[in-house]
Amino acid sequence: MKKFYNFITKHLLTFVFAVTAAMLAGVVCYAAYTNLNSVKRVVSTHGGKGTAFSSNYLILVTGETEKYELKNISFSENAENASFEINVCNYVQNNPSEVNELSISYNLTLSLVNTDGSANTGSYEGLTVQDKNGSYSFTNGVCTISGKTLIGKTKSVDTYRITVPKEFINKINIRAVAEPADEASGSAVNGYKLARDFTFSQYNASATTWTGAFSETTSAGYDGFNYVVKGLGKGTVTLSWDSAVLEISNVFIEINGLQGSLTKDSGTGKCTLTIKVDSDVRKRHDIQFYKTSEPDYEQLPQIEFSFTADS
């Protein structure tokens, strides 16, 4: 009887140990899985570090930032004016499912700025700003749209259509800043604001060129990076990178139907993506890349870029 008891006890302990180990392993694997997925949710086109406050054109920057990236708007040949739309959203751009749980009250300020950086207080016929609620005007070179709220827990977007006259070409820029209107909204967007400077130029139909570059200027603190491909004309863009350092967003590949355009050299580990581009259809492609290792890079990773124009 004693031998039977020892036998049962021994094997029961072994069984309990095995089950416990399996459960712990499952927890570790699940943690690793959730951590990996949380990493891949960090970076978006205009919602850096996962902040659910974004825009199609405006860039997420800290509240203290005063110098902003430039975005060029081209006038069609012989056009008297050019129009473009800015939207302000309460979700991570390119991932509308990540909606801000809190409501965001914000003010949008549009300011006229000369190309030398000085304020422009002039009045210009043909300069208009509109949204679904009506039109807004500039006073002494500034248009302030206040009292706007993006409702929390549901996808919310405000869209503004801006039209500028041709006399803005190479002379006058528009600075757009959307910032929280109160402390609670500031907390809801982690102290960020959305901003950008818009410059205007004449479209050159004969110009055919495409470029590629990271939106980020440093690798510090990021789990992934936004790579922007933009230009004019038709042709083929080729991107190459080290798969041991970076992996590309599968969402971008799937949405654009590029599964067959992505290859990997099994010997070198080098990945190559080819994209057919046509600025008449789309002038910009925003691509997300993610780190494949934990340590912060000292410098931004390298992506080889080349463009071949259609003959």
Side-chain angles (χ1 to χ4, degrees):
M1 186 68 181
K2 184 176 181 180
K3 289 182 177 181
F4 177 75
Y5 174 81
N6 290 337
F7 174 84
I8 292 297
T9 301
K10 176 181 178 182
H11 285 78
L12 180 60
L13 289 173
T14 301
F15 174 76
V16 171
F17 176 79
V19 170
T20 302
M23 291 176 66
L24 288 173
V27 170
V28 171
C29 290
Y30 176 76
Y33 174 81
T34 54
N35 285 340
L36 176 62
N37 280 276
S38 65
V39 163
K40 294 194 175 185
R41 288 196 299 268
V42 167
V43 175
S44 69
T45 305
H46 300 288
K49 298 193 175 181
T51 299
F53 186 45
S54 66
S55 169
N56 60 334
Y57 282 147
L58 306 185
I59 304 296
L60 196 70
V61 297
T62 62
E64 298 77 23
T65 302
E66 295 183 353
K67 292 185 178 180
Y68 311 121
E69 291 187 23
L70 280 175
K71 167 67 180 175
N72 181 67
I73 303 295
S74 297
F75 276 67
S76 300
E77 291 185 90
N78 303 318
E80 293 298 313
N81 55 57
S83 296
F84 62 104
E85 291 186 346
I86 295 174
N87 64 38
V88 180
C89 318
N90 70 338
Y91 54 80
V92 176
Q93 200 75 21
N94 291 346
N95 191 358
S97 63
E98 290 195 33
V99 174
N100 204 310
E101 290 294 308
L102 304 174
S103 292
I104 305 167
S105 295
Y106 71 93
N107 300 323
L108 175 64
T109 302
L110 304 170
S111 306
L112 302 185
V113 182
N114 296 315
T115 53
D116 63 3
S118 60
N120 184 306
T121 59
S123 177
Y124 299 91
E125 184 177 352
L127 173 62
T128 63
V129 180
Q130 297 175 307
D131 68 3
K132 62 182 180 181
N133 297 315
S135 300
Y136 305 90
S137 59
F138 283 78
T139 302
N140 295 323
V142 178
C143 174
T144 301
I145 304 172
S146 56
K148 291 294 187 176
T149 300
L150 302 172
I151 304 301
K153 298 183 180 180
T154 184
K155 180 181 174 183
S156 186
V157 182
D158 289 334
T159 301
Y160 305 92
R161 184 172 181 82
I162 302 170
T163 300
V164 300
K166 65 180 181 180
E167 57 193 297
F168 276 39
I169 294 175
N170 300 325
K171 293 181 180 179
I172 303 172
N173 297 343
I174 292 182
R175 174 165 297 162
V177 181
E179 53 190 335
D182 51 49
E183 186 175 347
S185 298
S187 297
V189 299
N190 302 323
Y192 287 99
K193 63 183 178 183
L194 298 166
R196 199 159 197 178
D197 285 348
F198 293 85
T199 185
F200 306 94
S201 64
Q202 182 68 57
Y203 173 72
N204 182 354
S206 63
T208 301
T209 181
W210 283 75
T211 60
F214 285 112
S215 294
E216 294 76 21
T217 57
T218 176
S219 65
Y222 292 98
D223 294 308
F225 308 96
N226 300 295
Y227 193 83
V228 179
V229 174
K230 59 183 178 180
L232 296 173
K234 300 179 181 180
T236 302
V237 164
T238 302
L239 305 177
S240 297
W241 64 92
D242 185 352
S243 62
V245 176
L246 291 174
E247 63 175 316
I248 194 170
S249 166
N250 284 328
V251 174
F252 175 82
I253 297 297
E254 292 171 2
I255 288 177
N256 294 280
L258 296 172
Q259 287 88 340
S261 302
L262 177 63
T263 61
K264 180 178 179 180
D265 188 316
S266 58
T268 64
K270 187 175 185 178
C271 289
T272 301
L273 176 68
T274 55
I275 308 173
K276 294 293 293 182
V277 292
D278 181 350
S279 60
D280 289 338
V281 177
R282 187 175 177 183
K283 295 181 180 179
R284 174 184 174 122
H285 299 266
D286 295 279
I287 309 172
Q288 285 74 53
F289 287 89
Y290 303 101
K291 293 180 177 180
T292 56
S293 57
E294 283 297 322
D296 283 340
Y297 304 146
E298 292 183 2
Q299 297 178 337
L300 284 168
Q302 296 296 308
I303 292 183
E304 298 175 20
F305 176 93
S306 64
F307 169 70
T308 302
D310 288 350
S311 56

